[in-house]
Structures are given as structure tokens and as C-alpha cells.
Amino acid sequence: MTVKNDNWPDDPIPCFAVIDRKLGRERADGQAHAEGIIEIDPRLSAKQRHKTLIHELTHLYFPQWSERKVISFTHYLHRNLWADGFRRVQQ
């Protein structure tokens, strides 16, 4: 049996690119743009970058969600992924 979840989009996952850019003037850790571009401040710690990337990806994939819902989802996903050892690997 298939259960339809109205909160999950039917569209394919949007493509995105991450750009490092100092965002002090914008007073933001990250920004998501409708074109699929995510800007993240390179001065963030690894843990904050992880959380910010999840947050901005959530904005791209669920643009209809309120900021409060995005924050709640981000906190839940980040906490569990981080606890399981997910980290960025420097190349």
C-alpha cells in the first residue's frame, strides 16, 4: 500500500550549487536562491556549516514551509545526522 504524503513534493529533487561567500553584510549564515544556488559563509564552524546547509536545502526543497517549520526540521535532521557522525570531508 502506498501512502500519499501531501507534505512531500512530487517534483524531483532540485539541483543546487554551494558557493562560499562572506555574508556579514547580509547578517546571515547562508542564503538559498530560487535558481538552486546556496551561499554559505566560509567562516562558519564545521557544525554550523552542516546545520546551515541543511537549512538552506530545506528552503529549496520545501519553499512553501514557514521559517518556523524549516528551523524545526533543520534542528531535527542536523542533530541526528551529526550524532551519527556525518561530517564534511575536506578535499
Side-chain angles (χ1 to χ4, degrees):
M1 178 171 94
T2 303
V3 177
K4 172 71 172 146
N5 182 345
D6 292 328
N7 292 322
W8 196 256
D10 292 327
D11 300 335
I13 297 173
C15 295
F16 67 94
V18 178
I19 298 171
D20 285 334
R21 184 170 80 84
K22 292 182 180 177
L23 298 171
R25 189 171 288 157
E26 289 81 0
R27 296 184 181 190
D29 291 339
Q31 297 183 135
H33 301 279
E35 308 82 39
I37 296 173
I38 295 175
E39 296 175 316
I40 295 183
D41 195 315
R43 299 170 291 184
L44 298 178
S45 69
K47 191 170 189 177
Q48 190 60 37
R49 182 184 179 88
H50 184 263
K51 190 171 188 177
T52 301
L53 181 57
I54 291 169
H55 182 91
E56 300 308 335
L57 280 169
T58 303
H59 274 302
L60 285 180
Y61 201 60
F62 299 103
Q64 73 280 12
W65 281 10
S66 68
E67 185 68 16
R68 184 176 181 175
K69 190 170 185 176
V70 169
I71 290 170
S72 177
F73 181 78
T74 297
H75 179 72
Y76 170 79
L77 195 57
H78 164 69
R79 183 172 27 113
N80 286 286
L81 289 172
W82 195 261
D84 198 39
F86 280 78
R87 305 291 187 273
R88 180 180 187 194
V89 176
Q90 296 291 343
Q91 296 179 355

